Amino acid sequence: MEINPYLFSIYGLFIVFSGLALLSFAVSNIHRVIFFFENLKLDNFRKKQKKIYLTQNIRTDVKKLFYLSDSGNGLFYLPDLIEKALMKGQENPWIIIDFLLKKNIICPDETGKFFWNDKSDCWKQIFKK
Amino acid sequence: MENILVSFIENTGFYYLTYKHFIMLLIAFFFLYLGIFKKYEPLLLVPISFGMVIGNIPSPASMSLGVYSEGSVLYYLYQGVSQGVYPPLIFIGIGAMADFSYILSRPILILLGAAAQAGIFITFIGAYFLGFSPSESAAIGIIGGADGPTAIFLTSKLAPELIGPIAVAAYSYMALVPVIQPPIMKLLTSKKERMIVMRSDFREISKKEKVIFPVGALVLCCLIAPGALPLLGMLFLGNILKEAEVTNRLAEAAKGPLIDIVTILLGISVGASTQADVFLTGKSVLIFVLGVISFAVATMCGILFAKLMNMFLKEKINPLIGAAGVSAVPDSARVAQLVASKENPGNYILMHAMAPNISGVIGSAIAAGVMWSLIGKF
C-alpha cells in the first residue's frame, strides 16, 4: 500500500494539534472541575443550593456583600451578614463566606466578629476587576 | 618466531583498523571534547562518545565483542535500545523532574509545543522524496522533536537498522541547541519582538491541580494517540510520583538513580552501536543532514506560530519562546532566555519558555505515537 506523505503529514500534525489543544482547554478549566467536585462534598445546607457559583459570580457577590456590611467601622457579625445577604436575594452566602475566609479577606476574632483584613489587599484587587 | 609475531599482530586491534574506524574515533574524540571541555550536554555526550570509542575499537570477529555480536555484554545492553525499553524508563525520570505548573498557569502556551512538531512532519516529506521508506522517513523526521528517548523509541519500532545514526544525530543536536537555535531565532524575529516583556505573575497552582493533571493529560492524550502510551504513561507516572507527595522515595529514585543508570546504559550502547562499518554510510550522512534540517524547521515553526498567536492575543508573547517548543528540556528554554536577555538584560522569559518546552515533550511523544500507529501498517 502506498502512502501519501502530504496527507499523512497533515493528518499527523492535526492529531498533535488537536491533542495539545484539547489539553490546553482542559488545563484552562481544571480549576472549575475542582470547584465542582469540592462543592459536591458540601453539607446538606449547601446541597440544597443547586446553583454553583463560579469565580465571576463570587466576585460580584463579594462586591454586594461588601456594600451590605460596610457599617463604617469595618466590623460585622457573621449571622447578620448572612441574614442581610439572604434578604437581598443571595442564594448561597456560605459559599461567599467560605471564599472570603479562604482568601483571607475576612478574619474571625475571638468575640465571634468578623472583620475585613486590612493587611490583605486581595479584596481590593477583586473590586478593581 | 615469525608465526608468533604474525599471530600476535592478528590478535591486536591494529590488524583490523581501517580508515573508517579512524574517522569514527576522531568523531568520538571530538564529541568527548565538546562534552567535557565545552560542556555541551555532558551527561549525554560523554557516555555516547565514550561508547563510540568502545564500539570502534576493532577486534577479531571470532571474539564476539560488539553490540551486533550475539552473546556479547554490549549486545545485551543494546537490547534496551533496540527493543525500546530505555526510553520509557528515562521518561519516568523526566516526569519526576518535570514541573507542569508552567503549563497549568499558562495553558495557551501549550499550543507552541504543538507547532514545533511541524518540523517532524515536514522532514518526513523531505526524507520520503529522497528515497527513504515511510518507516525510515518517520524515524528521521522525529529527530526534529529534539527528544532523544522519543527518537530512539520510534526508530526501534519502525527502522531499527537506523538506531545508531538517528540516536547520535538526535542527541548531538540536543547538545548543540545553543549553537543551532540562536541564529534562527534572530533571523525570524525583530529586535522589538525579542524585547517583549511577558507578565511575571504566575497563577498559584494548587496541589489538586498538579495531581489531577498527569492523570487527565494521560487519558486525554493517549485516547487521541494510543501509540504514545509507553512514553506518556511513564512520563505522567513519574510526575504523579512527585506531585502526590506520598511517594517521595519513588520520585527521588526515578529522578536520581534510575534516570542516571538508564542514561549511562543508553549512552554507552547507542555510542557502541556506531561501528564504522555500519555507521559510515551515505545514508548516515543524509540522516545527519535531514536531522539538522528537521531541528531547524521545528524551531522556525515554533517561532512563526508564536508570531501568529501575537496577531490574535491582547497580551503579546515573546516569539522566542516558540523556539522552546522543540522538546530539548530545558536547554531550548534556556537558549530562549539567553537570546532575550541579550536584547534586554532585565527580561526573564525562562519560566514562560518552560511551558512550550514541556508541552513539546508531550507533543513529540504524540507525534511518535501517531507515526508508529499509522506507518507501522505500511
Side-chain angles (χ1 to χ4, degrees):
Chain A
M1 196 158 54
E2 273 295 305
I3 188 170
N4 182 327
Y6 299 111
L7 277 181
F8 171 76
S9 296
I10 291 167
Y11 177 75
L13 201 55
F14 171 74
I15 297 280
V16 174
F17 253 100
S18 51
L20 289 182
L22 265 175
L23 187 64
S24 172
F25 175 76
V27 166
S28 307
N29 291 288
I30 198 168
H31 64 282
R32 288 198 172 88
V33 178
I34 292 170
F35 189 85
F36 175 77
F37 282 105
E38 276 182 348
N39 276 280
L40 285 182
K41 293 187 295 185
L42 296 176
D43 59 27
N44 288 337
F45 175 77
R46 291 185 193 182
K47 276 179 188 168
K48 285 178 189 166
Q49 311 297 321
K50 290 180 182 171
K51 194 169 181 180
I52 292 170
Y53 287 77
L54 299 180
T55 318
Q56 188 57 44
N57 302 79
I58 287 174
R59 200 174 285 147
T60 315
D61 296 337
V62 169
K63 276 186 191 175
K64 285 180 191 168
L65 272 181
F66 176 73
Y67 293 120
L68 276 173
S69 62
D70 189 16
S71 57
N73 58 8
L75 293 171
F76 57 91
Y77 286 102
L78 188 60
D80 286 353
L81 189 64
I82 293 166
E83 198 181 329
K84 280 180 183 172
L86 286 169
M87 281 167 64
K88 290 280 178 184
Q90 293 294 331
E91 289 180 48
N92 195 347
W94 282 108
I95 288 183
I96 303 162
I97 304 297
D98 241 21
F99 173 80
L100 294 170
L101 281 167
K102 276 181 189 164
K103 290 282 179 184
N104 208 21
I105 298 168
I106 58 171
C107 297
D109 68 6
E110 64 277 11
T111 65
K113 284 177 182 171
F114 282 74
F115 60 92
W116 298 106
N117 186 0
D118 290 334
K119 286 174 189 168
S120 161
D121 64 348
C122 67
W123 61 272
K124 288 175 191 165
Q125 286 172 10
I126 288 168
F127 300 141
K128 273 182 198 167
K129 284 178 183 171
Chain B
M1 183 67 189
E2 196 179 321
N3 285 344
I4 292 171
L5 196 61
V6 169
S7 170
F8 168 74
I9 291 170
E10 279 180 354
N11 277 307
T12 66
F14 289 108
Y15 184 77
Y16 302 93
L17 196 67
T18 65
Y19 77 95
K20 284 185 172 180
H21 292 113
F22 196 66
I23 291 171
M24 286 308 297
L25 286 172
L26 283 179
I27 295 172
F29 296 153
F30 177 64
F31 280 170
L32 265 178
Y33 166 77
L34 288 181
I36 295 170
F37 295 105
K38 292 286 178 184
K39 296 189 172 54
Y40 285 165
E41 288 276 352
L43 297 179
L44 296 171
L45 221 46
V46 172
I48 288 179
S49 48
F50 205 82
M52 287 169 78
V53 177
I54 291 173
N56 285 288
I57 292 177
S59 58
S62 59
M63 289 184 78
S64 178
L65 293 173
V67 292
Y68 303 110
S69 310
E70 204 166 331
S72 72
V73 174
L74 286 173
Y75 171 83
Y76 289 111
L77 292 181
Y78 188 62
Q79 293 308 299
V81 177
S82 62
Q83 302 301 316
V85 176
Y86 293 149
L89 292 177
I90 286 188
F91 262 58
I92 299 182
I94 294 174
M97 286 193 275
D99 186 354
F100 287 115
S101 48
Y102 305 116
I103 58 180
L104 284 163
S105 58
R106 291 279 194 280
I108 189 81
L109 300 181
I110 292 176
L111 295 177
L112 292 172
Q117 309 313 317
I120 293 174
F121 294 100
I122 292 170
T123 310
F124 169 83
I125 297 172
Y128 184 79
F129 284 114
L130 280 171
F132 287 96
S133 71
S135 300
E136 290 172 337
S137 306
I140 294 166
I142 202 75
I143 297 172
D147 193 338
T150 305
I152 290 172
F153 180 77
L154 185 66
T155 311
S156 72
K157 301 295 173 196
L158 294 180
E161 70 281 2
L162 297 183
I163 276 188
I166 285 179
V168 173
Y171 276 111
S172 308
Y173 295 141
M174 278 170 72
L176 295 173
V177 162
V179 179
I180 298 170
Q181 283 198 317
I184 301 168
M185 289 167 152
K186 284 180 183 164
L187 188 73
L188 293 179
T189 54
S190 65
K191 188 179 170 74
K192 194 181 163 192
E193 284 173 324
R194 292 196 292 275
M195 289 179 76
I196 291 176
V197 178
M198 295 173 73
R199 67 185 172 97
S200 56
D201 53 326
F202 281 90
R203 183 171 73 86
E204 197 178 318
I205 307 299
S206 67
K207 186 192 164 185
K208 277 179 190 161
E209 284 177 88
K210 287 182 180 177
V211 171
I212 289 171
F213 177 76
V215 183
L218 172 68
V219 173
L220 194 68
C221 294
C222 291
L223 282 177
I224 289 171
L229 193 58
L231 295 174
L232 290 184
M234 296 298 129
L235 179 77
F236 290 125
L237 167 67
N239 190 250
I240 204 163
L241 291 178
K242 173 194 164 205
E243 300 298 355
E245 291 176 5
V246 289
T247 46
N248 285 341
R249 270 176 53 198
L250 301 184
E252 290 299 320
K255 69 181 178 187
L258 177 67
I259 198 167
D260 289 347
I261 290 167
V262 180
T263 301
I264 292 170
L265 296 177
L266 180 92
I268 203 100
S269 38
V270 162
S273 72
T274 62
Q275 289 180 8
D277 48 341
V278 181
F279 193 83
L280 277 185
T281 62
K283 238 180 187 179
S284 298
V285 176
L286 209 50
I287 286 169
F288 266 80
V289 174
L290 285 167
V292 76
I293 291 172
S294 181
F295 194 69
V297 174
T299 305
M300 288 163 74
C301 291
I303 295 170
L304 293 176
F305 193 76
K307 290 173 80 152
L308 180 72
M309 281 170 73
N310 272 347
M311 292 168 76
F312 302 98
L313 291 175
K314 276 184 191 169
E315 204 177 300
K316 303 295 177 205
I317 55 174
N318 191 319
L320 292 177
I321 66 168
V326 300
S327 49
V329 181
D331 283 23
S332 50
R334 217 181 289 151
V335 168
Q337 170 60 45
L338 279 174
V339 176
S341 58
K342 268 185 190 166
E343 301 294 350
N344 175 5
N347 193 3
Y348 296 102
I349 61 165
L350 181 66
M351 295 302 158
H352 300 279
M354 283 307 289
N357 208 189
I358 291 183
S359 64
V361 176
I362 302 171
S364 59
I366 294 177
V370 172
M371 285 177 147
W372 184 24
S373 59
L374 290 178
I375 304 272
K377 294 176 187 169
F378 289 91

